[in-house]
Amino acid sequence: MKINNFLELKDFQKIIIENEKIELNDSLLDRVEESFQFLKEFSKNKVIYGVNTGFGPMAQFKISDEDTHQLQYNLIRSHSSGIGNPLPAREVKACMLARLNTLSLGNSGVHQSVIHLLKELINRDITPLIFEHGGVGASGDLVQLAHLALVLIGEGEVFYKGERKATKEVFETEGLEPITVEIREGLALMNGTSVMSGIGIVNAYKANQLTDISIRLSCAINEIVQAYDDHLSEALNGTKKHIGQQKVAERMRAHLADSKLIRKREDHLYTHFEEQEKVFKEKVQEYYSLRCVPQILGPVLDTLEYTENVLENEINSANDNPIINVKDRHVYHGGNFHGDYISLEMDKLKIVVTKLTMLAERQLNYLLNAKINEILPPFVNLGKLGFNFGMQGVQFTATSTTAESQMLSNSMYVHSIPNNNDNQDIVSMGTNAAVICRKVIENAFEVLAIEAITIIQAVEYLGFQDKVSSSTKELYDEIRKIIPAFSDDMVMYPYLEEVKKYLKTM
């Protein structure tokens, strides 16, 4: 893929998920070179933050010409201070692509070597060691991006072919040369929102998967109980103007189009009233977790689509400071590195994913509780009641995991703590928000895996394999390849992990 100007999230997917290689357009490189040459000339005899001044609260100190390059190295090394778990490779790769893209806009005054080396790291799957903890998301992802910059100057560590190795060793193996700081490469690399954005892009991709899975599982449960189709109808959902709700209902209708189990109300309940019994044997309408899926998942879909729009805007924006404007022949000082946009979206995304998880947990409970579904044995137990346990044990896991996500859904966006000698007196905590959102997403996959196995066991018990929709039958067949129909109790955790992996490939 040739990178030139605007990157869409689907481009990130091709590069990050599908490992498509990237090339740099000549006009991109010309733009970067023009910005670099302009800053080099413009900064002579002028006070430019981060070029010939100290940083943050020490910006009042002038740096002599002979120390300006060393200043950048000092910044990178001193701020390579992260700790905790390393970020997953996909997230780091997304971070690098986001950083490459924003630096390529020509608003940062970096040397072309930065862009070239970032491209090589992405194409060769060399991922810098970047830790979860360190950034407050105000001067962007300062600490985490310092670890990226550290690798670009040939120091620090990387993950290479499944191993954690010294950058110097890997560069020698691959024949790569570290960058040489020219003007402000350290600050330009570190001031920005690329880590929180990179994590956010991967989060959004996974949240899309979760939404699709939740819709499919919700359809399957409606089949199991032979629900009426009017709560999915275009007529009903069209009376509410929310696009997400209408899209979810449309997807459900598509999944259930060839089901032999979904019923029409007019065929069963819209008959002559005097012929009906005083107490109806069949439910007139289903529990909310079955009947209100468009209304519950609709806000999830709407939120996700808005989050994707914000992410796309952010990765195609100059999120640096100062901003180099070649057209105006001027350098503007400000705060484009502040991460509030991403922080808020990650909070919103984790909230709706938690709600999706709560829906799955309630649907699971419906299937496991024979007193409310009235069609399945307790805990969908295909063995001997009292002697075997069915899905009883895994419900505890689903419940506790859902509870953790509910707790994690508290906002990071409003948890600003001043730091940096109060220079950064209000911060975004955007990277923390993105990391916690990722945890909530992982939890959702675990709960949906448990729900999926339970649904397949229920289909087995009812003998509905040939009556469910082709969509549900595909789900049934794929999960049965992982876990056979079981009546005897068995150790469940290996199956849970394998089904979770399968869901991530859907």
Side-chain angles (χ1 to χ4, degrees), residues 357-370 372-373 377-380 389-403 446-451 453-454 486 492 496:
T357 309
M358 292 164 62
L359 173 65
E361 188 276 332
R362 286 294 83 196
Q363 290 174 340
L364 173 67
N365 184 72
Y366 179 89
L367 292 175
L368 298 180
N369 191 334
I372 61 173
N373 66 60
F379 304 109
V380 196
F389 291 91
M391 300 296 290
Q392 180 176 331
V394 293
Q395 184 178 20
F396 296 119
T397 303
T399 303
S400 66
T401 305
T402 303
E446 292 172 8
V447 176
L448 290 176
I450 293 168
E451 182 188 12
I453 296 171
T454 307
F486 62 92
M492 291 295 291
L496 299 182

Side-chain angles (χ1 to χ4, degrees), residues 79-223:
H79 284 63
S80 295
S81 55
I83 198 168
N85 295 322
L87 293 178
R90 277 184 178 178
E91 294 177 6
V92 176
K93 196 171 182 180
C95 153
M96 288 192 289
L97 183 57
R99 202 79 211 122
L100 183 154
N101 197 51
T102 191
L103 294 178
S104 297
L105 297 175
N107 297 121
S108 300
V110 297
H111 191 264
Q112 283 189 13
S113 59
V114 174
I115 310 300
H116 283 293
L117 187 51
L118 280 170
K119 182 202 78 169
E120 291 302 321
L121 294 179
I122 292 167
N123 284 346
R124 302 187 197 200
D125 282 323
I126 301 170
T127 54
L129 171 63
I130 301 177
F131 296 99
E132 286 184 353
H133 293 157
V136 297
S139 287
D141 305 304
L142 210 52
V143 168
Q144 280 104 338
L145 284 173
H147 284 272
L148 170 59
L150 190 67
V151 168
L152 293 179
I153 63 172
E155 301 176 19
E157 297 176 84
V158 297
F159 289 97
Y160 176 69
K161 296 184 178 179
E163 295 184 44
R164 179 172 164 177
K165 293 188 171 184
T167 302
K168 183 179 179 182
E169 178 187 344
V170 174
F171 277 20
E172 288 173 355
T173 301
E174 288 285 329
L176 295 172
E177 290 292 328
I179 65 167
T180 300
V181 168
E182 296 288 342
I183 303 177
R184 63 180 297 268
E185 277 70 21
L187 184 64
L189 281 162
M190 292 166 56
N191 262 193
T193 58
S194 299
V195 173
M196 65 179 82
S197 298
I199 301 170
I201 288 166
V202 178
N203 284 346
Y205 173 77
K206 291 179 179 177
N208 265 308
Q209 289 180 302
L210 288 170
T211 305
D212 288 340
I213 296 163
S214 184
I215 290 172
R216 287 185 68 176
L217 297 185
S218 297
C219 288
I221 290 180
N222 273 280
E223 290 185 275

Side-chain angles (χ1 to χ4, degrees), residues 216 223 456 459 464-478:
R216 287 185 68 176
E223 290 185 275
I456 300 312
V459 170
F464 282 170
Q465 292 93 325
D466 296 327
K467 295 182 179 181
V468 294
S469 65
S470 55
S471 173
T472 301
K473 185 60 164 61
E474 179 188 9
L475 184 73
Y476 174 91
D477 290 339
E478 291 301 316

Side-chain angles (χ1 to χ4, degrees), residues 211-251:
T211 305
D212 288 340
I213 296 163
S214 184
I215 290 172
R216 287 185 68 176
L217 297 185
S218 297
C219 288
I221 290 180
N222 273 280
E223 290 185 275
I224 286 168
V225 303
Q226 300 182 65
Y228 298 106
D229 68 351
D230 46 354
H231 66 278
L232 310 174
S233 67
E234 184 177 2
L236 181 138
N237 288 282
T239 62
K240 207 161 185 180
K241 301 303 180 184
H242 300 300
I243 301 302
Q245 175 181 334
Q246 294 174 7
K247 285 182 178 178
V248 170
E250 182 181 11
R251 289 193 202 178

Side-chain angles (χ1 to χ4, degrees), residues 196-459:
M196 65 179 82
S197 298
I199 301 170
I201 288 166
V202 178
N203 284 346
Y205 173 77
K206 291 179 179 177
N208 265 308
Q209 289 180 302
L210 288 170
T211 305
D212 288 340
I213 296 163
S214 184
I215 290 172
R216 287 185 68 176
L217 297 185
S218 297
C219 288
I221 290 180
N222 273 280
E223 290 185 275
I224 286 168
V225 303
Q226 300 182 65
Y228 298 106
D229 68 351
D230 46 354
H231 66 278
L232 310 174
S233 67
E234 184 177 2
L236 181 138
N237 288 282
T239 62
K240 207 161 185 180
K241 301 303 180 184
H242 300 300
I243 301 302
Q245 175 181 334
Q246 294 174 7
K247 285 182 178 178
V248 170
E250 182 181 11
R251 289 193 202 178
M252 293 184 76
R253 292 194 298 272
H255 280 301
L256 294 169
D258 57 356
S259 174
K260 298 174 184 177
L261 296 168
I262 297 296
R263 298 184 292 174
K264 293 191 174 298
R265 189 170 295 270
E266 54 267 30
D267 295 341
H268 296 272
L269 292 182
Y270 285 2
T271 54
H272 295 292
F273 182 76
E274 60 268 22
E275 295 177 5
Q276 300 282 9
E277 300 174 5
K278 291 285 179 80
V279 178
F280 304 120
K281 292 179 180 178
E282 296 183 4
K283 287 186 175 70
V284 175
Q285 52 187 11
E286 302 302 335
Y287 280 70
Y288 284 15
S289 61
L290 281 70
R291 176 165 38 113
C292 301
V293 173
Q295 293 82 1
I296 295 168
L297 293 183
V300 178
L301 194 59
D302 281 336
T303 300
L304 176 55
E305 289 183 356
Y306 187 81
T307 295
E308 289 177 324
N309 183 59
V310 170
L311 284 165
E312 209 163 78
N313 285 338
E314 189 70 28
I315 61 175
N316 289 289
S317 300
N319 45 64
D320 196 355
N321 180 55
I323 296 298
I324 316 304
N325 192 307
V326 178
K327 181 181 177 183
D328 292 352
R329 312 298 291 178
H330 196 70
V331 173
Y332 296 93
H333 291 69
N336 275 4
F337 48 51
H338 209 282
D340 264 26
Y341 271 102
I342 303 301
S343 181
L344 178 58
E345 291 311 308
M346 290 299 99
D347 274 3
K348 288 160 60 179
L349 188 60
K350 73 180 179 183
I351 288 170
V352 296
V353 170
T354 293
K355 192 59 179 281
L356 178 152
T357 309
M358 292 164 62
L359 173 65
E361 188 276 332
R362 286 294 83 196
Q363 290 174 340
L364 173 67
N365 184 72
Y366 179 89
L367 292 175
L368 298 180
N369 191 334
K371 293 179 180 178
I372 61 173
N373 66 60
E374 298 179 336
I375 57 173
L376 296 167
F379 304 109
V380 196
N381 186 352
L382 305 191
K384 183 179 179 182
L385 294 182
F387 179 70
N388 297 115
F389 291 91
M391 300 296 290
Q392 180 176 331
V394 293
Q395 184 178 20
F396 296 119
T397 303
T399 303
S400 66
T401 305
T402 303
E404 181 182 67
S405 290
Q406 290 173 312
M407 182 275 296
L408 291 174
S409 292
N410 289 315
S411 175
M412 280 302 309
Y413 175 70
V414 298
H415 275 78
S416 173
I417 300 176
N419 69 119
N420 195 229
N421 280 5
D422 279 338
N423 172 52
Q424 297 183 15
D425 56 349
I426 182 165
V427 300
S428 75
M429 297 296 180
T431 312
N432 281 356
V435 167
I436 294 171
C437 180
R438 182 228 294 151
K439 173 61 174 170
V440 169
I441 287 169
E442 286 299 305
N443 285 354
F445 275 109
E446 292 172 8
V447 176
L448 290 176
I450 293 168
E451 182 188 12
I453 296 171
T454 307
I455 286 171
I456 300 312
Q457 286 289 98
V459 170

